[in-house]
Amino acid sequence: MRDIGYYNGKTGPIDEMTVPMNDRALYFGDGIYDATFGLDGKVFLLEDHVERFYGNLERVGIVPYCTRQELGELLGRLLGQVDGELCFLYWQTSRGVAPRNHAFPREGKGSLYITVKPVEFPDLKKRIGLSSTEDTRFLHCDIKTLNLLPAVMAAQKAQEEGCQECVFHRGEVVTECSHSNISILKDGVLRTHPLDRYILPGIARKHLLMAAVRRNIPIDERPFTMDELRQADEVLVTSSSKLCLVAGQLEGRPVGGRVPELVEALQGDLLEELYRYVGRL
Ligand code: PLP
């Protein structure tokens, strides 16, 4: 199939799938999502993503649609039905289907929604442009909830400015980007915002830090400022959909570009991990 959608047991081409009007995802964004690549029939870093997904569901009290193992098997099965070398798998569980009421029914389980579609390999060599905006999101950025309005507005701002991502900052402090984490290399140290309620605990971020440890690159998980970002030797933008991109411009001015060989090495590590995971290496 060209692509596939799944909703509570039904499957079909994404364009032909529908969801009930009373799904709480629609009027409250009352749900949790996650996403990753699929390659050669394997769901990349499935354990990490499933762990975060179920952890998030538990934190907000949503009853999962199925067990972790069933979800893993289902994702693998759907991936196997889609043509295309590299696919992107997205899944979400809302608090289920119920008439609109802020307080939620205690009985019933969440709805499961999945899409799988082919994507191009990300071009890791191409340096991206970054715009920036004040981070006006709430204080639960560590939960991968469907409430993404400020992220949507920020991503749109980036696009309108000819950029690929938008950096969020609270005052002068950089937190993350609209749909990625951000790290800097400065004087041989990899610096990134600590895991707190201001950022999503990104899985690509985690694997970038693991790659840095293997290369004996010191890691400093502390907040850094917009000024430190502007002065960085390199700026790395990580996410499960793009692995690890490197910035070349920030707010219309050149940024980074001082240790390209180190960037290439780290990007190579992440790609190698993907290929190893699916058994290509
Ligand atoms: N930060 C935000 C706000 C995101 O939305 C995402 C991904 O969607 C990330 C970071 C990167 O997380 P991951 O590496 O798990 O994809």
Side-chain angles (χ1 to χ4, degrees):
M1 285 176 78
R2 192 171 31 89
D3 58 38
I4 195 162
Y6 171 100
Y7 181 80
N8 287 355
K10 294 200 183 102
T11 55
I14 294 173
D15 282 349
E16 293 172 22
M17 293 292 291
T18 56
V19 297
M21 286 189 76
N22 269 341
D23 190 306
R24 287 178 65 93
L26 294 177
Y27 40 68
F28 291 129
D30 186 9
I32 297 294
Y33 75 103
D34 222 297
T36 186
F37 281 136
L39 182 66
D40 297 345
K42 285 244 172 74
V43 183
F44 184 45
L45 300 177
L46 176 68
E47 307 75 14
D48 281 318
H49 287 277
V50 163
E51 185 64 27
R52 179 171 66 185
F53 184 63
Y54 280 80
N56 278 187
L57 289 175
E58 197 178 330
R59 282 180 70 184
V60 299
I62 291 179
V63 181
Y65 179 80
C66 58
T67 66
R68 293 166 189 233
Q69 193 179 334
E70 285 164 346
L71 177 64
E73 286 167 5
L74 177 58
L75 290 171
R77 247 192 342 271
L78 295 173
L79 176 62
Q81 292 178 48
V82 175
D83 307 323
E85 192 184 11
L86 187 71
C87 284
F88 195 64
L89 297 101
Y90 170 96
W91 63 97
Q92 68 178 50
T93 289
S94 74
R95 205 180 296 275
V97 179
R100 188 176 184 279
N101 185 13
H102 284 68
F104 46 86
R106 277 286 168 199
E107 68 285 352
K109 62 180 181 177
S111 298
L112 179 60
Y113 165 117
I114 306 172
T115 57
V116 183
K117 53 186 179 185
V119 286
E120 298 288 318
F121 273 89
D123 183 355
L124 303 190
K125 288 200 167 27
K126 190 165 179 271
R127 286 186 176 254
I128 61 167
L130 300 173
S131 67
S132 67
T133 193
E134 182 68 31
D135 191 345
T136 57
R137 298 174 303 165
F138 56 12
L139 300 179
H140 306 283
C141 300
D142 52 333
I143 303 177
K144 209 162 166 57
T145 114
L146 298 174
N147 305 117
L148 292 175
L149 185 60
V152 166
M153 301 308 286
Q156 180 66 17
K157 178 176 189 291
Q159 186 172 304
E160 285 173 8
E161 292 173 13
C163 295
Q164 286 68 45
E165 246 298 18
C166 186
V167 179
F168 278 134
H169 52 86
R170 291 191 189 252
E172 269 308 292
V173 173
V174 174
T175 51
E176 56 179 340
C177 295
S178 72
H179 47 88
S180 326
N181 292 111
I182 187 164
S183 308
I184 57 174
L185 283 164
K186 184 67 179 176
D187 300 331
V189 175
L190 182 67
R191 194 157 287 153
T192 195
H193 195 94
L195 294 183
D196 57 20
R197 61 189 178 168
Y198 298 117
I199 70 162
L200 185 82
I203 287 165
R205 172 192 180 278
K206 171 180 155 188
H207 286 259
L208 172 68
L209 297 190
M210 283 159 55
V213 167
R214 287 196 299 273
R215 288 189 173 272
N216 293 320
I217 299 170
I219 290 167
D220 187 9
E221 287 184 79
R222 70 159 174 87
F224 58 87
T225 64
M226 282 300 289
D227 230 33
E228 288 177 283
L229 182 63
R230 292 183 195 106
Q231 306 301 325
D233 292 337
E234 296 288 0
V235 176
L236 302 174
V237 173
T238 52
S239 68
S240 296
S241 62
K242 299 281 190 264
L243 293 179
C244 179
L245 299 176
V246 57
Q249 287 220 323
L250 170 64
E251 298 162 326
R253 297 199 184 87
V255 72
R258 297 202 194 106
V259 282
E261 61 294 336
L262 193 49
V263 172
E264 243 176 73
L266 288 166
Q267 289 176 322
D269 291 345
L270 293 181
L271 262 184
E272 190 182 316
E273 189 177 14
L274 170 63
Y275 292 142
R276 262 190 212 296
Y277 191 93
V278 302
R280 281 199 186 183
L281 292 178

